[in-house]
């Protein structure tokens, strides 16, 4: 079983927590190389997926400084389901949700397109809401005119890459977007906030999603071995009791595991490795149950603790 930070977006296809599904709605997918994130979204079940690259290829004037990258975007862009028609907004391209799947590869273009949508009327590109900057409205009218909600899949400001120092992640892009939003709208000093949803570690929603998948998988392995009508005691045996969370980032991995409250009352044990964002040179901001050198050492520690007879060394 493989769960990535954006995997919970799959639930939005048919709707979650009372929200309407987005299966047949046009959604903007942001981040990743080329079409990879679009293809993942389509495998999740989204039927109408566009990217900032599609918009730029069809309307290069939307981002005046992107000329050198236009041939790159045209190499994988798809036709838009509708054009941008500022003179006839009713027939224009309407976006129902903004899903930041992965780290942005083009902060300028992505920020521009997202900002246009957040300031639009009803998510129609090329429009500008008449409610924006209305002091008599909550949030001064911003994001109060049917604009698409924006979702981020990963809050990490930094992550460990090939370079010897941590690199900016999706959290860096979100912070930059929030800075532009504040400059344009007046921000908190004007009583305006960027209304958004951030999932990914350490959010409760992400850990709940992961545990739900683990629980279903565990039941799928255990229940077939039981009677056709298992007793309550037998069903209890199919519940997870301990989950080992291995991670290299104290702020996301360890914090999330330490704070998570399982609806199945399982215990989450956090293991911090020194082979990523955390390198062992300082005290971690969130204290794990144990600190080890790498993932293999973490696996051995967990198996040994469960009594599998695996030596620590």
């Amino acid at each position: 079983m493989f769960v990535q930070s954006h995997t919970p977006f799959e639930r939005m296809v048919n709707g979650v927590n009372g929200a309407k599904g987005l299966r047949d709605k046009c959604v903007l997918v942001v981040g990743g190389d080329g079409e990879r994130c679009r293809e993942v979204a389509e495998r999740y079940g989204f039927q109408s997926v566009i990217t900032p690259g599609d918009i730029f290829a069809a309307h290069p004037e939307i981002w005046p400084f992107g000329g050198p990258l236009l041939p790159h975007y045209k190499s994988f862009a798809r036709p838009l389901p509708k054009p941008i028609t500022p003179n006839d907004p009713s027939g224009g391209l309407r976006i129902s949700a903004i899903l930041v799947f992965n780290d942005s590869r083009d902060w300028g273009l992505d920020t521009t397109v997202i900002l246009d949508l957040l300031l639009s009327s009803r998510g129609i590109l090329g429009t500008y809401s008449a409610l924006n900057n209305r002091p008599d409205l909550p949030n001064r009218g911003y994001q109060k005119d049917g604009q698409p909600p924006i979702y981020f899949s990963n809050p990490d400001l930094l992550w460990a890459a090939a370079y010897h120092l941590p690199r900016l992640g999706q959290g860096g892009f979100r912070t930059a977007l929030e800075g532009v939003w504040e400059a344009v709208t007046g921000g908190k000093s004007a009583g305006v906030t960027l209304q958004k949803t951030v999932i990914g570690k350490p959010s409760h929603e992400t850990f709940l999603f992961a545990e739900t998948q683990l629980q279903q998988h565990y039941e799928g392995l255990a229940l077939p071995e039981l009677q056709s009508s298992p007793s309550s005691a037998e069903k209890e045996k199919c519940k997870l009791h301990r989950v080992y969370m291995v991670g290299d980032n104290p702020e996301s991995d360890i914090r999330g595991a330490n704070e998570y409250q399982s609806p199945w009352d399982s215990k989450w044990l956090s293991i911090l490795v020194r082979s990523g964002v955390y390198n062992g040179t300082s005290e971690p901001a969130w204290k794990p149950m144990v600190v080890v050198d790498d993932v293999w050492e973490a696996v051995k520690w967990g198996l040994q603790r469960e009594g599998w007879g695996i030596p620590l060394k």
Side-chain angles (χ1 to χ4, degrees), residues 8 34 42-43 46 54 111 116 124 130-131 150 152 174 188 200 206 211 219 228 232 239 257 262 285 300:
E42 289 175 338
R43 287 199 295 271
F46 295 101
D54 298 338
T111 298
D116 281 352
I124 301 174
L131 302 186
I150 182 167
F152 296 89
R174 191 193 78 242
K188 293 181 180 179
T206 290
E211 188 178 32
E219 290 176 357
S228 57
S232 298
K239 290 185 178 180
S262 168
K300 290 195 294 184

Side-chain angles (χ1 to χ4, degrees), residues 22-177:
L22 296 170
R23 178 181 298 276
D24 300 318
K25 303 295 184 180
C26 186
V27 299
L28 179 75
V29 164
V30 179
D33 295 326
E35 286 205 286
R36 291 181 181 179
C37 287
R38 187 211 309 268
E39 291 168 353
V40 172
E42 289 175 338
R43 287 199 295 271
Y44 286 165
F46 295 101
Q47 300 296 308
S48 181
V49 182
I50 68 170
T51 69
D54 298 338
I55 297 170
F56 180 55
H59 298 273
E61 66 277 8
I62 201 169
W63 177 231
F65 307 112
L69 291 176
L70 187 56
H72 165 69
Y73 285 117
K74 284 189 173 182
S75 70
F76 62 83
R78 298 184 193 176
L80 296 176
K82 289 185 177 181
I84 299 176
T85 55
N87 295 326
D88 182 20
S90 62
L93 179 63
R94 183 176 184 180
I95 308 298
S96 296
I98 304 167
L99 307 176
V100 184
F101 262 63
N102 197 259
D103 301 78
S104 168
R105 280 15 178 212
D106 190 339
W107 287 27
L109 173 62
D110 293 349
T111 298
T112 298
V113 172
I114 291 173
L115 185 65
D116 281 352
L117 287 170
L118 294 177
L119 296 174
S120 71
S121 173
R122 299 183 293 122
I124 301 174
L125 267 174
T127 65
Y128 186 83
S129 174
L131 302 186
N132 291 339
N133 204 28
R134 284 265 304 268
D136 58 314
L137 296 175
N139 212 41
R140 293 188 71 89
Y142 291 105
Q143 295 179 278
K144 299 299 180 183
D145 191 17
Q147 292 91 349
I150 182 167
Y151 300 88
F152 296 89
S153 69
N154 191 328
D156 286 355
L157 178 65
L158 300 171
W159 68 292
Y163 194 62
H164 66 283
L165 296 176
R167 301 291 83 192
L168 288 171
Q170 191 184 131
F173 171 71
R174 191 193 78 242
T175 301
L177 175 65

Side-chain angles (χ1 to χ4, degrees), residues 198-220:
V198 182
I199 63 172
K201 300 170 295 184
S203 73
H204 175 83
E205 291 79 6
T206 290
F207 278 80
L208 176 61
F209 178 85
E211 188 178 32
T212 300
Q213 301 304 304
L214 286 171
Q215 183 64 44
Q216 291 174 351
H217 181 67
Y218 188 56
E219 290 176 357

